[in-house]
Amino acid sequence: MLQKLFKFHGGVKPDSRKQDSTRQPIRSLPLPSELIVPLHQSIGGTPRPLVRVGDRVLKGERIGAAEGPVSAAVHAPSSGVVRAIEDRTMPHPSGLPASCVVIEADGDDRWIEREPVPWKSMKGDELRDYLRDAGIVGLGGATFPSHVKLRAGAKPTHTLVLNGAECEPFITCDDMLMRERAAEIIRGAGIMAQMLAVERVLIGIEDNKPEALAAMRTAAGDGIEVVAIPTLYPAGGEKQLLRVLTGVEVAAGRRPLEFGLQCFNVGTAYRMARAIDHAEPLISRIVTVAGNVEAPANYEVLIGTPIDTLLAAGRPRPDTDRVLMGGPMMGFALPTTAAPVVKATNCVLAGSPSLLPPPPPEMACIRCGTCADHCPVDLQPFELYWFGRSHNFGKAQEYHLFDCIECGCCSYVCPSNIPLVDYFRFTKSEIWARERDKSAADLARERFEARNERQEREKREKAERLAAKAEATRKKLADSEPVAEVGTASPAEEAKKALIAAALERAKQQKSSVKPRNTDNLSADKQAEIDEIEARRARTGGRSVEPPENS
Amino acid sequence: MTHSPYLRESRSVRQIMLQVLLALLPGIVAYVWQFGAGVLIQLLLASTAALAAEAVMLRLRRKPLGLYLGDLSAIVTAWLIALSLPPIGPWWMVVLATLCAIVVAKHLYGGLGQNPFNPAMVAFCVMIVAFPAQMSQWPDAGLDFGQQLELILGGERALDAITAATPLDALRTGLRAGGADAHVAEVLQGPAFGAIGGQGWEWVVAGFAIGGLYLLWQRIISWHLPAAFLLTMALTATLLWGMHPERFASPLLHLATGGTMLAAFFIVTDPVSGSTTPKGKLVFAGGAAFIAYMIRSFGNYPDGIAFAVLLMNICVPLIDMYTQPPVFGHKRGSS
């Protein structure tokens, strides 16, 4: 059946540069001596460690258990000894450290006991829990725990989409996976399709990957359509791909599930099949090593392998000035190559001044609208740029700043070399910071109001208590010496009067037992001195005691 | 440290401006062929004045001189001014107009990208208000380059002998002189008119149209602006011509005279001062053409394009606000 395709607005066609890394089959690396496995490798809760320093672990053993409904387990990528559980620098633009389990590999690479999973006889939740514990997350880059997405929504899910578009230049890990392991991808897709009870499965692959298309078409069975889509960045964006294949536009902040759609990366489907058929948790993935290297290729890499170990296999050229994780359009420069390969690492790209040249100087925006012509989300980037620059955050949000997917098309085409995406990231983080401040202020106000209320309540309660006590006293007094006046005063006034009477009584008793104060019997000159001080105080009006006002 | 994207593949502002200048060349060649080389002197004067003014203003504003002088935007403004003013105007007029555009309309508003009004059109309006007489002197066909140069450099002007009116001017004065009996067809017999438009202007207009098509092909301008401008001009003219052919000129004459083609492809297409959304561009250019036609046909100025463009410039923020295209996933019906 010929699939009707749809278009998304804009997009760019950068040179794909995919040929170099696809000449070799997927290779493997020698087992590294040290594996650094970050606990937090998926969106959602940070898994809690299940091992202690000194523990022996086997390959595939769970070392971090999923925490909360959205979270996925992490596993030992090889057998060895836990040497440390400590903070290590993460492959993240911030360069901030996070908790990692550091495993010294023993070289045996010995597996845990494994048996195929009888998934067909398992209940939905049981199977989802298994996938969670197998650490299956989206390998397209977002690393969203897959089991969460494999639950049917309120509406029935009719279409499962597999994303094999891989639109970023240089990256070929999905391409090679599809060429070499198509059958297992299809197997994974079949399991997903059954879990979601969908009517059809579409696999979208950019038409610049004829080998992958052919391999997938050969492997695909009934009910699975492999669709060649036009090569146009960012066709591999989830929502862009859904648009191309189904015509449905899923707005920012909404989920495909609401439209009866669900989308997974082809690598995720492959990992599903491995987890079900071989009880193999997600402990490795395909990573492209490309760019300024002598031997660009794809590697099957254990999670936790230091990136410099992987990069060394590609033999970077001497003029390499930085290393990116991800592609040149949406990737980021690694703060250090000592950081480990994680589940989100699809590509390690060596950069050089000639390969990824520094941008020419930024010039003034001439409102030419080229950015808007290429925006795949139909935004007006130059307007957002003006709003961001002038800190007009309300307007920026009104013009849908948060629909921006940061694909980089606008910066790519800007004739004035304005780093538009940087401006949008800045504006977004400013707005987030303000929202945080505002909610903090709201919290403080709520606390303040609660405190006021509490104080009011306490005052009221105290008054009531006193009134009750006074009432008791009055009663006591009335019992001992009956009072004539009744009925004219209100109960409150009577309580007050009784209170005053009681207080007077107490004061009388105290006074008789107390000595005179030191100001009571003063000589005349002493009294004059005191008067003088009082007069001076009155003149200055007590100003001297107040702190000077800041102006 | 730079952030993604690490790749860029853009035409620089300089390249864009260069292509605009290139696109003006066919029109300029036709201009020289039909009206003599005086316009080249005007182009030179305007370019020099523009670069000097730009340099001084950039220095005063402490902006990188090389970077912004090299963007060639000042030259584009200068050429548009030189092509709008009469080619035998005195030298100080084109210089003053250029200074007006670069200093006041461009830099005092914040420089490249910040000016709400089209600088060339601001300059044109100032000139036609301040020097109406000089602005209506166009060279007679017989004038050679030496005579033109002499006039530009301030030579004595025996005006009636050497200058002619523009076709639109001739049409207006012809109709006024004829009073109630005037007929467009009679006026068009005059020397100012050629086969379809003004004598000689047909070629210039064709030259600008060719340059404009080049810009469209190169995707430097979007089709919305010239299409809306030319269509609105043609439709409005057809409507009135259809009702009163004796009092209003044919749409063809309107398209082939005055600054219609220059405006459609080079003036309303200024991105800085124009509307930016697809629908907004239609409104902006259509509005400019409509106002221009009204001023041409009912106003006191020979051509109204400059005023029309400035009036529409004022409306741009409003137009843009109400014509924002729907964002991905927010289109009606896809809730």
Side-chain angles (χ1 to χ4, degrees):
Chain A
M1 190 186 89
L2 203 65
Q3 177 72 28
K4 180 184 171 2
L5 293 182
F6 299 83
K7 275 185 179 168
F8 61 88
H9 178 260
V12 295
K13 289 181 180 173
D15 184 4
S16 70
R17 316 286 294 262
K18 288 176 189 277
Q19 316 79 3
D20 292 345
S21 56
T22 50
R23 295 207 177 99
Q24 316 265 352
I26 296 171
R27 299 171 166 191
S28 55
L29 280 180
L31 189 65
S33 54
E34 188 184 68
L35 291 156
I36 307 150
V37 185
L39 284 166
H40 191 236
Q41 289 196 61
S42 68
I43 286 179
T46 304
R48 58 177 193 287
L50 297 174
V51 289
R52 291 209 194 118
V53 176
D55 284 1
R56 290 202 73 81
V57 290
L58 293 174
K59 182 173 183 144
E61 187 174 331
R62 204 145 53 100
I63 55 176
E67 189 75 24
V70 179
S71 181
V74 290
H75 303 78
S78 186
S79 58
V81 180
V82 176
R83 281 292 169 226
I85 299 173
E86 62 185 20
D87 282 0
R88 293 285 183 101
T89 307
M90 298 300 288
H92 185 271
S94 68
L96 288 175
S99 189
C100 294
V101 177
V102 182
I103 296 167
E104 187 188 314
D106 58 15
D108 295 343
D109 211 24
R110 197 144 50 84
W111 272 99
I112 46 165
E113 293 288 317
R114 287 180 295 157
E115 267 172 31
V117 180
W119 66 281
K120 278 192 175 156
S121 61
M122 285 164 85
K123 280 196 207 104
D125 278 336
E126 217 181 329
L127 184 53
R128 278 187 282 273
D129 284 353
Y130 170 75
L131 293 171
R132 179 194 67 199
D133 292 340
I136 305 298
V137 300
L139 295 181
T143 63
F144 191 86
S146 300
H147 68 276
V148 184
K149 282 167 72 180
L150 285 165
R151 186 187 296 276
K155 274 197 277 181
T157 312
H158 53 75
T159 305
L160 170 69
V161 170
L162 240 52
N163 188 345
E166 203 169 51
C167 58
E168 272 238 25
F170 290 102
I171 306 179
T172 56
C173 58
D174 291 345
D175 187 0
M176 292 309 293
L177 186 77
M178 289 188 285
R179 290 188 200 192
E180 295 186 13
R181 305 177 191 179
E184 284 181 290
I185 297 172
I186 300 294
R187 164 85 176 149
I191 299 169
M192 289 170 164
Q194 206 144 335
M195 287 182 79
L196 288 168
V198 296
E199 292 154 22
R200 59 174 189 166
V201 181
L202 300 175
I203 303 180
I205 301 169
E206 274 193 349
D207 55 14
N208 62 354
K209 299 183 240 313
E211 296 90 343
L213 275 163
M216 292 291 282
R217 281 192 173 130
T218 309
D222 288 344
I224 296 183
E225 287 167 57
V226 178
V227 187
I229 59 167
T231 299
L232 179 66
Y233 178 87
E238 180 185 67
K239 290 174 177 179
Q240 278 64 42
L241 183 68
L242 290 176
R243 163 82 194 159
V244 170
L245 289 176
T246 68
V248 174
E249 290 191 2
V250 183
R254 305 192 64 177
R255 295 189 180 286
L257 206 60
E258 297 170 44
F259 299 84
L261 303 168
Q262 196 54 283
C263 184
F264 290 93
N265 178 265
V266 287
T268 316
Y270 169 75
R271 277 288 149 198
M272 282 278 298
R274 296 298 298 179
I276 300 286
D277 293 340
H278 304 274
E280 196 179 290
L282 208 172
I283 53 166
S284 69
R285 65 158 298 150
I286 316 293
V287 183
T288 307
V289 180
N292 195 40
V293 292
E294 302 280 354
N298 281 280
Y299 292 86
E300 171 133 28
V301 188
L302 294 177
I303 304 297
T305 305
I307 285 172
D308 39 22
T309 309
L310 172 63
L311 187 66
R315 299 203 300 281
R317 297 198 178 98
D319 62 336
T320 297
D321 62 346
R322 77 206 112 144
V323 178
L324 309 189
M325 180 170 128
M329 294 300 286
M330 289 186 78
F332 58 89
L334 285 163
T336 164
T337 51
V341 168
V342 292
K343 292 177 184 177
T345 311
N346 51 3
C347 179
V348 172
L349 186 69
S352 71
S354 58
L355 193 70
L356 310 173
E362 181 181 341
M363 293 177 68
C365 169
I366 56 167
R367 290 162 53 87
C368 63
T370 311
C371 49
D373 292 343
H374 290 87
C375 178
V377 198
D378 312 75
L379 297 173
Q380 303 280 306
F382 60 93
E383 298 278 17
L384 295 173
Y385 158 78
W386 288 113
F387 294 142
R389 268 187 74 128
S390 55
H391 290 225
N392 195 345
F393 297 135
K395 268 289 195 199
Q397 274 172 284
E398 207 179 291
Y399 278 62
H400 299 283
L401 171 69
F402 284 96
D403 287 53
C404 170
I405 57 171
E406 300 182 16
C407 64
C409 288
C410 50
S411 304
Y412 182 80
V413 297
C414 177
S416 293
N417 310 308
I418 300 169
L420 289 155
V421 183
D422 284 3
Y423 278 98
F424 304 152
R425 290 190 190 111
F426 163 78
T427 312
K428 282 182 186 172
S429 56
E430 276 295 292
I431 292 172
W432 281 323
R434 266 156 216 241
E435 295 279 315
R436 265 199 308 278
D437 288 352
K438 191 181 167 295
S439 40
D442 285 348
L443 199 65
R445 200 189 62 240
E446 273 167 33
R447 280 208 200 105
F448 175 73
E449 281 167 359
R451 177 171 167 269
N452 276 357
E453 204 174 300
R454 177 174 52 80
Q455 285 176 335
E456 285 290 321
R457 195 187 61 233
E458 282 173 359
K459 211 187 265 176
R460 207 169 52 237
E461 284 170 358
K462 195 173 172 190
E464 277 164 10
R465 239 184 2 257
L466 282 175
K469 201 171 162 193
E471 179 70 12
T473 317
R474 198 183 63 83
K475 266 211 181 107
K476 213 160 71 191
L477 285 174
D479 286 349
S480 58
E481 55 183 279
V483 190
E485 87 266 52
V486 218
T488 50
S490 71
E493 275 174 324
E494 285 199 17
K496 216 183 219 170
K497 272 182 192 159
L499 205 63
I500 292 165
L504 281 174
E505 191 65 29
R506 273 201 307 280
K508 221 182 268 172
Q509 282 170 7
Q510 267 177 353
K511 200 163 192 181
S512 58
S513 62
V514 143
K515 284 181 185 169
R517 284 160 68 196
N518 59 355
T519 51
D520 277 355
N521 303 310
L522 289 172
S523 61
D525 53 339
K526 211 79 179 173
Q527 186 61 50
E529 204 176 306
I530 289 170
D531 287 349
E532 198 188 321
I533 291 167
E534 291 295 338
R536 200 167 59 231
R537 273 197 191 147
R539 267 204 311 281
T540 58
R543 259 174 311 175
S544 57
V545 295
E546 301 216 345
E549 234 180 85
N550 291 321
S551 59
Chain B
M1 167 134 165
T2 56
H3 303 277
S4 64
Y6 296 91
L7 289 180
R8 277 159 191 282
E9 199 174 294
S10 51
R11 251 186 311 221
S12 64
V13 175
R14 179 191 168 85
Q15 280 166 312
I16 293 175
M17 297 294 175
L18 208 59
Q19 280 178 293
V20 173
L21 294 177
L22 197 67
L24 281 169
L25 287 182
I28 292 173
V29 169
Y31 207 126
V32 172
W33 172 40
Q34 290 295 323
F35 298 101
V39 70
L40 296 179
I41 306 295
Q42 303 285 355
L43 286 167
L44 190 71
L45 284 169
S47 304
T48 315
L51 282 181
E54 182 95 342
V56 170
M57 291 313 286
L58 286 171
R59 175 60 58 83
L60 285 176
R61 294 178 58 219
R62 298 194 176 84
K63 297 278 177 186
L65 211 61
L67 189 64
Y68 280 101
L69 266 188
D71 70 20
L72 300 181
S73 62
I75 302 287
V76 170
T77 305
W79 283 26
L80 292 176
I81 293 171
L83 291 172
S84 311
L85 299 190
I88 53 166
W91 64 270
W92 52 262
M93 202 161 81
V94 74
V95 170
L96 193 63
T98 309
L99 293 181
C100 193
I102 300 292
V103 176
V104 180
K106 185 176 180 184
H107 281 286
L108 291 190
Y109 278 100
L112 183 66
Q114 304 270 4
N115 46 298
F117 298 106
N118 187 315
M121 293 301 100
V122 170
F124 183 91
C125 288
V126 170
M127 288 299 122
I128 202 154
V129 170
F131 310 104
Q134 285 90 338
M135 286 290 283
S136 58
Q137 294 161 5
W138 294 72
D140 199 36
L143 222 51
D144 66 22
F145 179 65
Q147 288 168 301
Q148 289 198 358
L149 188 62
E150 204 182 316
L151 285 173
I152 293 168
L153 295 178
E156 200 61 39
R157 291 169 175 258
L159 290 177
D160 289 342
I162 49 163
T163 64
T166 60
L168 285 175
D169 226 2
L171 179 67
R172 169 196 315 280
T173 43
L175 287 173
R176 291 239 167 115
D181 303 328
H183 196 289
V184 168
E186 287 168 26
V187 178
L188 291 189
Q189 301 302 316
F193 299 95
I196 52 167
Q199 177 65 45
W201 283 104
E202 295 121 328
W203 294 104
V204 179
V205 164
F208 288 141
I210 288 170
L213 293 177
Y214 167 74
L215 291 184
L216 276 177
W217 172 56
Q218 285 290 308
R219 290 169 179 256
I220 286 179
I221 57 175
S222 72
W223 61 269
H224 303 81
L225 292 159
F229 191 89
L230 295 175
L231 268 179
T232 309
M233 180 68 86
L235 283 179
T236 318
T238 307
L239 198 69
L240 285 155
W241 175 62
M243 289 193 294
H244 299 287
E246 74 286 355
R247 281 177 51 209
F248 296 101
S250 73
L252 208 57
L253 184 101
H254 277 285
L255 292 182
T257 53
T260 306
M261 284 296 157
L262 190 67
F265 291 106
F266 296 93
I267 296 197
V268 295
T269 50
D270 170 38
V272 177
S273 58
S275 184
T276 52
T277 62
K279 268 189 220 160
K281 284 173 179 170
L282 296 176
V283 175
F284 172 77
F290 181 75
I291 298 172
Y293 179 86
M294 289 298 152
I295 297 176
R296 272 180 180 191
S297 302
F298 302 102
N300 277 321
Y301 288 102
D303 201 349
I305 288 174
F307 292 105
V309 168
L310 294 191
L311 284 172
M312 289 312 290
N313 283 160
I314 300 174
C315 308
V316 161
L318 194 71
I319 297 173
D320 280 356
M321 195 168 95
Y322 284 111
T323 55
Q324 283 299 312
V327 169
F328 187 90
H330 296 278
K331 293 181 177 75
R332 250 170 297 159
S334 75
S335 64

